[in-house]
Amino acid sequence: NAGVTQTPKFQVLKTGQSMTLQCAQDMNHNSMYWYRQDPGMGLRLIYYSASEGTTDKGEVPNGYNVSRLNKREFSLRLESAAPSQTSVYFCASLVRKNTEAFFGQGTRLTVV
Amino acid sequence: AQSVSQHNHHVILSEAASLELGCNYSYGGTVNLFWYVQYPGQHLQLLLKYFSGDPLVKGIKGFEAEFIKSKFSFNLRKPSVQWSDTAEYFCAVNENRDDKIIFGKGTRLHILP
């Protein structure tokens, strides 16, 4: 039972490069989320998808785009990476709003 | 916009001490409340949650939290901490009217053996 799987686990990018972070869940959850975690800042919501076919901005959406490809997959794209986007990125999913969110293991991204 | 405040950024306790971590939120409507824990090098795991009913909720590993609606608070407590409780603790809030889940900045707890 894999739960929430994120790829890659580590990535180093040069400023201006693009990349897509992948997230997939196998729990038939409806809602999926992308957060970034920075020291002293907690987790900040980037984008979320309440259900297949919908996406909404969170607290810090600038510089990111998302795609809810199907019910299982929710990807996060950085079109032109900046050093300020150096962070640990977590994907999460849950079946409905008052239930437990399950998190992936995280992607550690460094932009140089 | 909803927000979550965790008052203690870094707490150091000795084993067997009692713990209380503060959490306040800004939204006055119906909310779902959560405490998550992140052990070093790991992802977040749910400790406990509240969405209705008894405002005193019990979670895993001896943790509990009390929802006080009038104070917009959801403080986490444990009567006697252990060295293995060393971790970062996050309070999170979801307003019932939408699907955003907003986290506080976290409290880093260090337990001295």
Side-chain angles (χ1 to χ4, degrees):
Chain A
N1 194 358
V4 180
T5 303
Q6 290 182 234
T7 55
K9 289 186 170 51
F10 300 94
Q11 183 72 48
V12 178
L13 288 179
K14 293 183 179 177
T15 297
Q17 286 185 318
S18 62
M19 80 161 294
T20 300
L21 281 63
Q22 307 285 355
C23 175
Q25 52 89 10
D26 61 1
M27 297 172 283
N28 200 35
H29 285 173
N30 295 309
S31 302
M32 298 185 74
Y33 300 76
W34 276 106
Y35 291 90
R36 58 178 291 174
Q37 184 177 25
D38 302 289
M41 299 298 291
L43 277 79
R44 291 181 290 171
L45 180 62
I46 305 171
Y47 272 93
Y48 65 104
S49 170
S51 60
E52 186 179 356
T54 69
T55 60
D56 286 285
K57 294 179 180 179
E59 302 169 280
V60 289
N62 291 347
Y64 305 95
N65 285 300
V66 290
S67 296
R68 184 74 183 267
L69 304 168
N70 47 55
K71 192 171 186 179
R72 289 187 64 247
E73 298 171 290
F74 188 39
S75 62
L76 178 71
R77 183 159 178 85
L78 287 71
E79 290 291 351
S80 179
S84 60
Q85 294 178 305
T86 293
S87 187
V88 180
Y89 292 84
F90 285 99
C91 176
S93 72
L94 50 91
V95 63
R96 61 180 181 277
K97 64 180 68 181
N98 60 5
T99 60
E100 176 181 0
F102 289 84
F103 285 81
Q105 293 288 345
T107 296
R108 186 172 294 274
L109 175 67
T110 302
V111 183
V112 297
Chain B
Q2 64 191 92
S3 66
V4 181
S5 298
Q6 291 185 240
H7 316 299
N8 317 100
H9 300 297
H10 196 184
V11 173
I12 301 174
L13 294 172
S14 297
E15 275 193 311
S18 64
L19 171 72
E20 181 160 2
L21 301 181
C23 174
N24 286 89
Y25 61 93
S26 62
Y27 181 62
T30 303
V31 293
N32 303 305
L33 299 159
F34 308 85
W35 276 98
Y36 285 85
V37 61
Q38 186 178 33
Y39 297 103
Q42 297 188 25
H43 59 88
L44 275 75
Q45 304 168 45
L46 182 70
L47 271 180
L48 48 79
K49 64 181 172 77
Y50 170 83
F51 62 94
S52 67
D54 189 343
L56 183 62
V57 292
K58 296 191 184 298
I60 60 171
K61 304 188 181 189
F63 286 92
E64 65 178 32
E66 185 175 13
F67 170 51
I68 303 179
K69 189 173 182 179
S70 60
K71 294 185 177 181
F72 302 93
S73 70
F74 190 55
N75 292 354
L76 181 71
R77 300 194 291 247
K78 186 171 184 178
S80 176
V81 294
Q82 302 172 311
W83 179 79
S84 57
D85 293 325
T86 293
E88 192 159 14
Y89 293 80
F90 295 93
C91 181
V93 177
N94 160 242
E95 299 177 23
N96 236 15
R97 63 175 183 172
D98 68 27
D99 292 274
K100 288 183 186 177
I101 304 174
I102 303 299
F103 283 79
K105 293 186 177 181
T107 297
R108 194 173 295 273
L109 176 64
H110 186 70
I111 306 299
L112 303 173

